[in-house]
Amino acid sequence: MITLLLLIPLIGSLIILPMSYTLESKKTMKKIAITTSLINFYISLFLWYEFDTSTTQYQFVQELASLDQLNFCHLQFGIDGISLYFVLLTTFVTPIALLSNYTNINKDIKLFLIFFLVLETLQICAFVSLDLLLFYIFFESVLPLVFIIIVIFGHGKDRFRSALLFFLYTLAGSLPMLLSILSIYSYIGSTDFQLISLIDISLFSQKLLWLGFFIAFAVKTPLYPFIIWLPKAHSDSPLAGSILLAATILKLATYGYLRVLINFLPDATNFFSPLIQTIAIISLIYASFSTIIQQDTKRLIAYSSVAHMAVVVLGLFSNTLSGIEGAILFAIGHGFVSPALFICVGGVIYDRTGTRIINYIRGLVTYMPIFTIIFFVFTLCNTGIPLSLNFLGEQLSLIGIWQTNPIIAALGATSILLSACYSIFLYNRLSYGNLSPYLPPLKDINRREFILLISLLIPTVIFGILPNTILSCLHMSVSALLYSF
């Protein structure tokens, strides 16, 4: 079943590859790409349905190859309660990303569609790999594709510099992780997850290995001071690229914290927890105040992502069941709400006004009443309003860290106030007041945009009301993590 999940996007890419660039072929290519991604989503739903919640073991395990030339790398894939939801999030967001640029990307459309289908496979591979070296390979493999997407399909004169910053920051940050993986291989003779979990590593060695992994994950999260690449990458990326960056690519670091640092290096994680909590608080406050003063709408949502991911990090390193489960819920909720806000500001508003500068946009409710209602709902979800998944994730994360360090929890709770400040401030400036004289009469959202936003709103509300739908699969795997911790 996992093999199908990995191969179907690649099969779609191969079908699209030989097609010509005629008008009819372009429409067919788009339909093939979206159909392929939807089929993959249905397969992931079937995996979720068949998932056994009563065990901590990896399920649907498949070994794709056992070649003598690759004996240093165990080509084995499987899913547990933690990786399951990151796979579901990836397969859910990919068709939404493709549909978000359905009408406004026509140049090099074949390259665009193939890149996003391949990106889906690479991200799923990172989440289901059962080998540390394989995880690193797929963790890094998204970089060149996203770099090319920003350069070719992005907008803005500064897009090459933004793409280069993204590429260099994340590549340089991951080099210490590669050294840590090689050190583990030289010590154990394998990079297989299950073998590593059985080895007792000394505290001193754990600390050195932990620092190598943490730098890579901190850059990808991102945490202060490695955040400069994210707002630039978002502001110059096409809408589909921003959606994937916010929803899934940033979650590679969240998954890495859980799978590597907490799982394999528990003593070092416990030792460095105060340092991580301090860095997360600095990132939260810095990003929140930076968000309030932004004048570019996409850059503003990008900075808000940094603040939300800082709360996720607080929950992950709280050493409590509620904190870790809350962090995973918040990461999933962020994967729904942040792409929706990018669609609102970087899709609906930008496509109609041609600008992302807040001072030029005002009074949208005059011509776009339906859009402003949906925009308001997602703005409230971004602030963590009750009945949304973000609310549960944020509260559980803060409750978890409160049990460990009440002072850090009190500082982390400022995210509730600060997120309300910048979210409502943005909504009020764009939606109300006299209609901006720089804007022509605007059309309300069309059917495609409405479907995209509602598709993201439904799971945000349903899982916010029925969180046990997610938590039932998480309890066993997170409990096993805490036992090792």
Side-chain angles (χ1 to χ4, degrees):
M1 193 63 68
I2 291 182
T3 307
L4 278 177
L5 207 61
L6 302 178
L7 291 180
I8 284 178
L10 298 180
I11 293 171
S13 302
L14 292 175
I15 295 173
I16 293 171
L17 188 60
M19 298 180 71
S20 61
Y21 274 100
T22 62
L23 183 61
E24 193 63 33
S25 294
K26 288 181 180 179
K27 293 180 180 178
T28 306
M29 283 189 282
K30 293 178 182 178
K31 291 177 181 177
I32 291 172
I34 292 169
T35 303
T36 302
S37 60
L38 286 173
I39 291 172
N40 228 29
F41 176 57
Y42 294 142
I43 292 174
S44 65
L45 287 177
F46 181 75
L47 286 177
W48 188 19
Y49 176 75
E50 292 291 325
F51 188 82
D52 183 4
T53 61
S54 63
T55 178
T56 61
Q57 300 299 315
Y58 292 104
Q59 302 177 41
F60 313 106
V61 176
Q62 291 183 335
E63 192 165 0
L64 299 185
S66 56
L67 303 177
D68 293 336
Q69 295 86 348
L70 297 175
N71 57 4
F72 63 89
C73 188
H74 198 196
L75 296 176
Q76 194 174 29
F77 300 96
I79 289 177
D80 68 347
I82 294 171
S83 57
L84 173 65
Y85 291 108
F86 291 104
V87 172
L88 282 165
L89 185 62
T90 303
T91 57
F92 175 75
V93 167
T94 300
I96 289 176
L98 291 171
L99 276 170
S100 67
N101 280 128
Y102 192 80
T103 57
N104 52 10
I105 297 268
N106 291 302
K107 181 183 177 183
D108 295 323
I109 184 65
K110 183 192 298 186
L111 193 65
F112 179 83
L113 297 173
I114 290 175
F115 274 17
F116 273 87
L117 290 176
V118 173
L119 268 176
E120 181 179 13
T121 293
L122 294 177
Q123 290 175 91
I124 294 173
C125 284
F127 292 130
V128 302
S129 296
L130 300 185
D131 186 276
L132 202 52
L133 186 59
L134 271 185
F135 171 73
Y136 170 79
I137 291 170
F138 293 121
F139 185 87
E140 290 297 285
S141 61
V142 301
L143 300 185
L145 295 181
V146 176
F147 174 84
I148 296 171
I149 287 170
I150 295 174
V151 170
I152 297 178
F153 304 103
H155 35 70
K157 298 179 180 178
D158 206 27
R159 63 180 182 273
F160 182 80
R161 182 172 182 270
S162 300
L164 198 61
L165 271 177
F166 164 75
F167 187 84
L168 293 179
Y169 256 80
T170 49
L171 180 65
S174 297
L175 291 179
M177 178 166 72
L178 178 60
L179 293 176
S180 296
I181 292 172
L182 295 177
S183 299
I184 290 174
Y185 180 77
S186 66
Y187 179 70
I188 300 175
S190 173
T191 52
D192 183 82
F193 279 176
Q194 293 181 329
L195 285 177
I196 296 173
S197 64
L198 298 174
I199 299 299
D200 186 18
I201 305 174
S202 68
L203 178 59
F204 179 76
S205 299
Q206 281 195 36
K207 289 178 182 178
L208 295 178
L209 295 171
W210 189 95
L211 288 172
F213 283 108
F214 175 72
I215 290 171
F217 299 146
V219 171
K220 189 81 86 176
T221 303
L223 293 174
Y224 184 85
F226 307 112
I227 66 175
I228 189 172
W229 65 267
L230 182 67
K232 289 181 177 294
H234 272 303
S235 60
D236 290 328
S237 174
L239 178 57
S242 294
I243 290 172
L244 273 193
L245 270 173
T248 56
I249 293 177
L250 295 187
K251 306 306 181 295
L252 289 170
T254 304
Y255 179 73
Y257 291 130
L258 289 163
R259 182 62 71 218
V260 181
L261 295 187
I262 298 175
N263 193 18
F264 300 147
L265 308 170
D267 297 330
T269 300
N270 188 45
F271 178 82
F272 285 113
S273 285
L275 173 65
I276 306 171
Q277 293 163 9
T278 304
I279 294 174
I281 291 297
I282 294 171
S283 302
L284 191 159
I285 296 174
Y286 174 82
S288 296
F289 281 112
S290 298
T291 303
I292 294 172
I293 64 173
Q294 293 303 313
Q295 294 301 313
D296 184 299
T297 53
K298 284 186 73 176
R299 192 179 286 257
L300 188 150
I301 303 301
Y303 271 109
S304 74
S305 292
V306 177
H308 290 318
M309 294 309 296
V311 178
V312 170
V313 171
L314 284 178
L316 290 176
F317 292 95
S318 65
N319 192 21
T320 60
L321 183 68
S322 59
I324 296 176
E325 290 186 348
I328 296 172
L329 287 180
F330 198 18
I332 297 169
H334 177 266
F336 295 140
V337 174
S338 190
L341 291 174
F342 276 115
I343 292 172
C344 289
V345 301
V348 178
I349 296 176
Y350 180 74
D351 287 347
R352 285 157 176 75
T353 63
T355 182
R356 300 197 310 266
I357 305 302
I358 296 173
N359 290 338
Y360 289 99
I361 308 168
R362 189 172 65 245
L364 295 180
V365 71
T366 306
Y367 290 109
M368 306 173 69
I370 297 175
F371 167 74
T372 51
I373 292 172
I374 298 175
F375 187 24
F376 179 64
V377 173
F378 277 113
T379 300
L380 292 179
C381 291
N382 197 49
T383 65
I385 190 173
L387 302 183
S388 69
L389 186 56
N390 290 47
F391 168 76
L392 285 174
E394 188 172 34
Q395 297 307 311
L396 284 174
S397 298
L398 294 175
I399 289 170
I401 195 66
W402 177 271
Q403 297 173 32
T404 305
N405 192 327
I407 296 175
I408 292 293
L411 292 172
T414 58
S415 66
I416 301 171
L417 174 64
L418 293 173
S419 64
C421 287
Y422 58 69
S423 299
I424 299 296
F425 188 38
L426 171 68
Y427 173 77
N428 189 57
R429 283 184 290 172
L430 296 180
S431 300
Y432 298 110
N434 296 325
L435 184 68
S436 173
Y438 303 101
L439 300 181
L442 306 173
K443 292 183 178 180
D444 213 334
I445 58 172
N446 56 39
R447 183 181 301 174
R448 176 183 60 85
E449 294 162 342
F450 182 80
I451 290 172
L452 287 176
L453 293 172
I454 291 299
S455 298
L456 291 164
L457 180 61
I458 289 173
T460 304
V461 175
I462 289 179
F463 293 140
I465 298 172
L466 302 170
N468 281 339
T469 310
I470 297 176
L471 293 176
S472 60
C473 295
L474 282 178
H475 284 318
M476 291 297 292
S477 296
V478 174
S479 299
L481 274 183
L482 283 173
Y483 180 75
S484 68
F485 193 74

